[in-house]
Amino acid sequence: MKMKNMKSGKEQTRNEYMADGIRLVRNEGGATLGLSTDSGVKLIEADGFLFKDLNRDGKLDKYEDWRLSARERAEDLAGRMTVEQIAGLMLYSAHQMVPAMPMGPFGAATYGGKSFPESGAAPSDLSDQQMAFLEKDNLRHVLVTRVKDNETAARWNNKLQAFAEGIGLGIPANNSSDPRHGIDATKEFNMGAGGTISMWPEEIGLAATFDPALVRKFGETAAREYRALGIATALSPQIDLATDPRWGRFNGTFGEHPGLAADMARAYCDGFQTTLDEEGKSLGWGAGSVNAMVKHWPGGGTGEGGRDAHFNYGKYAVYPGGNFKQHMVPFTEGAFKLEGGTGCASAVMPYYTVSAGQDGAADEEAGNAYSRHIIGKLLREDQSYEGVVCTDWGVTGNEGPDVDTFSGKCWGAETLTIAERHYRILMAGVDQFGGNNDAGPVLEAYRMGVAEHGEPWMRKRFEQSAVRLLMNIFRVGLFENPYLDVAGTVEIVGRSDFMSEGYKAQLKSIVLLKNRHGILPLAKGTKVYIPERHTPAMKGWFGMGTPERTAPPVSLEIAGRTFTVVGTPGEAECALVFIRGPINPMMQAGYSREDRAAGGNGYVPISLRYRPYTADLARETSLAGGDPLEGFANRSYRGKTGCTPNESDLDLVLDTRRVMGDKPVLVMLHLERPAIVAEFEPVADALVVSFGVQDQALFDMLSGVAEPSGLLPIQIPDGMTTVETQCEDLPLDMTCHCDLEGNAYDFGFGLSWSGVIRDERTARYVRHV
């Protein structure tokens, strides 16, 4: 269509089209604009270009001018916002499912006052609660979890953005996600087929590749899929140094090596945040960028005894080795020193932990988000960090009735009111409150600041956070076009080449630890016996249980495409035994109500072995402790016994060895953290470790379609004595298991078909700490 330049009299050709109620206009030599036909927003013209009149005042304001820098626009908009609007910008929603469910751990949802099944609403419609927090609370940061399908995600995004565009100053929503590229193990990989979304190893599996370039490729691919789903912020990567092997979140990290973790963090953030041109060259920030929120500052992998701070019983991080500073290396040398043109990870999330002994004054010790020293001094001042700092979810909520209740995580600030917690966090240098849909406590915190510092000072403090938050929305192009082409979403997400890249990464993450007599690779068609695996009943997040079951551990259909699967040991040429490392569900890790009921303090050991373990060498007095819910400070578990619910996995290996006689037994071990393999390694002819891969990837490796190249990103301890006596904060400080072949299962160890891998990766990282 032709549009006349009203100032110069020139004419410019612009492309314009409509789809699903979205109007798209492309400025030649400038930005493509997207706006909803229902939002009431019009286009205005200046200097021969078109702009969105987001506040409907009929003139071009600085924040509406896409020719200006993100900072100029953010500062202009922040100055126009009311205190109530800035407070809404500081909110980060609780977990949102699409469609929203009538019941769940994050509250009930309705559509027109009815539950979704009763309402007749489309899956992509906004719930009553979503419309309320957008309009009433001015919330603009939305955490998206489960979605019905990719098409629904795109349509929901467009409805959400149209709603936001039509109210207030027209600020778009910045949708986000926790990692969503995990594995559906039983899905078959077909080189030419697409999927729901590309599947990659867990972070610890990416670390096992020892290949930062691969991790950057993952980031680039994931960013394409995220933006096609309407997601502009990744609540990742998790770059804590996992220096305690018992920690329940070990598998979400890049391991315990500071240098490797820093390189992987840099590659991940560069991949997500960098917009590339058609030739793959970096453009820095742009419409293809996804903000990376790195977590958890200043490192969350040192919980005493391996306990996790999602629960009161794990709220203390300890540093018996005096190694606090090294835990910041993945941030300071990785995520804060990017190479792709965006400079630095755009957001940081502190962990729930109280960093014991690190908070300057002992009477100020509280969760990291509350700490002026951890946030204001170490992050803001020492690192000159000007990005967004967002709390982890629920840090301002009240703690539950018991120390193992999944509830608020106001560690160290239990006696403050909810509003006082918000105020203390703001004064520490934090910008945003994860999991809070309600602006009320933020506004009350503002009034507290006015009372203490005066209105001009507190208004300036609010605007400071608003600018940081707005820059992350401006830089990724959401103000110009937050809308999705639904057909494009369906085409892009899970595209066949993305699926292929993810599958190649899975293969590269598999680690071969033992290959006695060169039993691997197996010939195609080998007769294999795959014994069924018993999965015990367990409690997971929010106390929800999973029932026990006995079933094949992998897809026998997929196995049968490579090998001949037989039903008895007598028919088999070898056995393939699939097990998991000792399981310690976070709900059951390190605390026991049964122990407390029997007169104990409730604290029990977290074991990395299958058989029961008694912690005779545990500390007699814990390094940290104390809580309003407990009348004691010593959280020691010395002399107590810890058990893992999947002891049957060890029995499965030993029983299979017995029934197979002299025939080979090959063990496939899925790890989420280190494990004591000494209990079964001597009876295994081969040992393969994976960190979240499809079944087919294992069969391709076992049959020689792919050669193993992964390296251990962890240490495999020789027993629980070294686990108990290592320091929670020190990397690579355990004595490692040595197998019958004479190989130590240390960081960086792995086998190929030719033997021990020694290459440029091991030269760079092994033992260089």
Side-chain angles (χ1 to χ4, degrees), residues 752-765:
S752 66
W753 302 143
S754 303
V756 177
I757 298 173
R758 294 184 178 90
D759 57 19
E760 67 279 358
R761 299 174 299 164
T762 57
R764 179 173 184 177
Y765 293 111

Side-chain angles (χ1 to χ4, degrees), residues 417-438:
T417 67
I418 290 177
E420 286 170 341
R421 293 170 194 153
H422 282 76
Y423 182 57
R424 179 169 171 178
I425 288 170
L426 284 171
M427 294 303 99
V430 174
D431 305 298
Q432 198 167 31
F433 302 94
N436 182 6
N437 296 2
D438 180 10

Side-chain angles (χ1 to χ4, degrees), residues 315-316 352 354 363-367 370 409-416 424 627-628:
K315 71 180 184 180
Y316 290 106
Y352 298 119
V354 177
D363 60 353
E364 290 187 1
E365 278 201 345
Y370 290 92
K409 301 158 185 63
C410 54
W411 313 146
E414 293 89 349
T415 61
L416 301 181
R424 179 169 171 178
D627 187 87

